[in-house]
Amino acid sequence: MSEVIYPADGVLLGRARVPGISHPLIVTVRDGELVDITAKGMATVRDIAESADPAGYVAAAPGKSIGSADAIVANSWARVTDSAKPSLLSPIDLQAIKASGVTFVVSLLERVIEEQARGDKARADALRGEIIELIGTDLSELVPGSETAMRVKAALIAKGVWSQYLEVGIGPDAEIFTKAPTMASVGFGADVGLHPISSWNNPEPEVALLVSSAGKIVGATLGNDVNLRDVEGRSALLLGKAKDNNASASLGPFIRLFDGQFTLDTISQAEIALRVEGEDGFVLDGHSSMSQISRTPASLVEATIGRHHQYPDGLVLYLGTMFAPVKDRDGAGKGFTHKLGDTVSISTSSLGTLSNRVNLSTLAPAWTYGTSHLLRDLATANLL
């Protein structure tokens, strides 16, 4: 593998499975080694995220190497994992897994324009010009919920092009939904699952934030918000079926904790690259620029957690993507959809690379290790 899987600098936090130990280990990377820092009272990612200084704690925590980080990363691929050796898990545990959608106005409005123009470039240019004239600025500067956004909304309704997606895209309220149950996410190298009823689906390369119970953003990781476009397209009320299936939430490879060098500003300027490589030779490349996000990461966190909704164990929040794959795969006009065996890699320089292989949710390993199992195992190990 040629990708940089994890950054050479920064304070990294993750979890690993080690043979002979029933509970996941809390790990960090030091000098190329994966180091076990599991400790009583600090035996979960949740505990560390709730501490006064998560990055400071992880950087200074005593630990013991469980092996080469590169070797453990290589052993984390589901199809080649040697169960007698350590492998990575999703880097979160007790956090709620939430996601935000339709957070990039530029790509959203462009899709509406393309849909309305029906392939007529001249009509697309004219409609784009009408909208830009209406708002008097670049689309990327349109602030959701603002007076200007509401004028755009009224104009689009008048043109008959309003939709529920535009409502959450430029309206006052962000779309926030539950992506997966607590403990259900998968990590680097794991299979990601597609519900077998779907015939039109895609990856969604995103940054995900680690947030404490107090609403403090303490770190970030990469995520694949696997999406069934055909299911959601039938009805927005099917969002749960489109988004929440076995192995449909991927995170990793590690959480990078905020410190003096890595901050929310770093995330706000990140360029997220996507590469899909199929066993049929198909290759898709794309990118998503966080600088184009219409709702700030902080505002999305505020829409998720606060006096209106509490998360005692904190949460992880997928921030959305501006990338919608349209490259034809099986012939002109057929667009993109996954095939089983696709390898999906999501990367950015500050967080590394998250790679997974596409499978059916019914064929990916069943989710069997939940919160009760973790707490029982930690209690048995006298780590609570």
Side-chain angles (χ1 to χ4, degrees):
M1 299 175 61
S2 58
E3 301 98 338
V4 175
I5 304 302
Y6 54 90
D9 56 355
V11 182
L12 305 181
L13 176 64
R15 298 191 308 144
R17 178 191 298 109
V18 174
I21 300 177
S22 59
H23 60 84
L25 297 185
I26 305 302
V27 297
T28 189
V29 179
R30 293 175 183 163
D31 299 323
E33 297 287 305
L34 203 64
V35 177
D36 171 20
I37 59 170
T38 314
K40 187 169 184 176
M42 288 291 192
T44 66
V45 173
R46 182 267 180 200
D47 292 328
I48 293 172
E50 293 296 309
S51 67
D53 180 11
Y57 172 81
V58 171
K64 178 181 179 181
S65 173
I66 61 171
S68 159
D70 290 345
I72 293 171
V73 163
N75 191 51
S76 299
W77 279 98
R79 300 292 164 154
V80 299
T81 299
D82 182 347
S83 60
K85 298 177 181 179
S87 57
L88 291 180
L89 296 168
S90 168
I92 66 167
D93 42 43
L94 298 178
Q95 291 81 8
I97 305 172
K98 308 292 288 187
S100 47
V102 200
T103 53
F104 289 82
V105 169
V106 174
S107 59
L108 171 67
L109 290 181
E110 282 299 312
R111 286 196 293 270
V112 172
I113 290 167
E114 290 167 2
E115 178 185 31
Q116 294 297 311
R118 300 184 184 280
D120 183 340
K121 184 178 184 302
R123 175 58 187 144
D125 291 342
L127 183 57
R128 187 179 298 107
E130 291 172 17
I131 294 175
I132 291 176
E133 182 178 359
L134 172 70
I135 66 177
T137 185
D138 187 274
L139 295 181
S140 64
E141 298 179 12
L142 187 64
V143 177
S146 66
E147 291 185 9
T148 300
M150 294 304 95
R151 289 199 300 271
V152 173
K153 173 181 177 178
L156 293 176
I157 289 174
K159 292 178 180 295
V161 299
W162 190 249
S163 76
Q164 55 205 340
Y165 295 101
L166 281 164
E167 176 62 43
V168 295
I170 68 175
D173 297 309
E175 179 189 21
I176 305 292
F177 58 92
T178 297
K179 172 60 183 175
T182 298
M183 297 284 293
S185 61
V186 299
F188 177 94
D191 284 356
V192 288
L194 304 172
H195 196 294
I197 66 169
S198 176
S199 60
W200 184 27
N201 40 69
N202 64 276
E204 293 193 356
E206 304 185 17
V207 170
L209 299 179
L210 178 65
V211 183
S212 76
S213 64
K216 180 181 179 181
I217 305 169
V218 300
T221 189
L222 293 168
N224 185 354
D225 178 12
V226 180
N227 184 42
L228 310 182
R229 298 186 74 179
D230 46 0
V231 174
E232 185 180 359
R234 281 194 281 133
S235 170
L237 297 180
L238 292 173
L239 183 66
K241 193 175 190 70
K243 292 288 191 177
D244 182 7
N245 298 289
N246 182 43
S248 65
S250 174
L251 293 164
F254 299 97
I255 295 161
R256 184 169 178 180
L257 296 169
F258 288 162
D259 56 18
Q261 302 301 314
F262 178 67
T263 67
L264 194 57
D265 286 340
T266 312
I267 293 301
S268 297
Q269 297 301 316
E271 296 287 329
I272 313 301
L274 170 72
R275 186 173 181 85
V276 178
E277 299 175 275
E279 294 179 343
D280 58 353
F282 176 85
V283 176
L284 172 70
D285 288 300
H287 78 281
S288 183
S289 176
M290 288 297 295
S291 66
Q292 297 296 307
I293 198 167
S294 304
R295 301 183 191 269
T296 66
S299 72
L300 291 169
V301 170
E302 290 171 1
T304 307
I305 183 172
R307 193 66 192 90
H308 63 290
H309 203 318
Q310 296 79 48
Y311 296 88
D313 293 313
L315 63 102
V316 165
L317 179 64
Y318 288 79
L319 293 178
T321 183
M322 67 179 291
F323 181 71
V326 295
K327 181 179 180 181
D328 290 335
R329 185 164 196 174
D330 290 319
K334 292 189 175 181
F336 171 84
T337 194
H338 271 308
K339 291 187 178 183
L340 300 188
D342 282 354
T343 297
V344 180
S345 296
I346 299 165
S347 61
T348 190
S349 59
S350 61
L351 295 172
T353 301
L354 171 64
S355 295
N356 300 96
R357 183 179 183 272
V358 174
N359 202 345
L360 295 178
S361 58
T362 50
L363 297 179
W367 172 43
T368 59
Y369 194 86
T371 303
S372 63
H373 303 85
L374 174 63
L375 295 181
R376 280 196 292 266
D377 286 343
L378 291 177
T380 299
N382 193 31
L383 287 168
L384 292 180

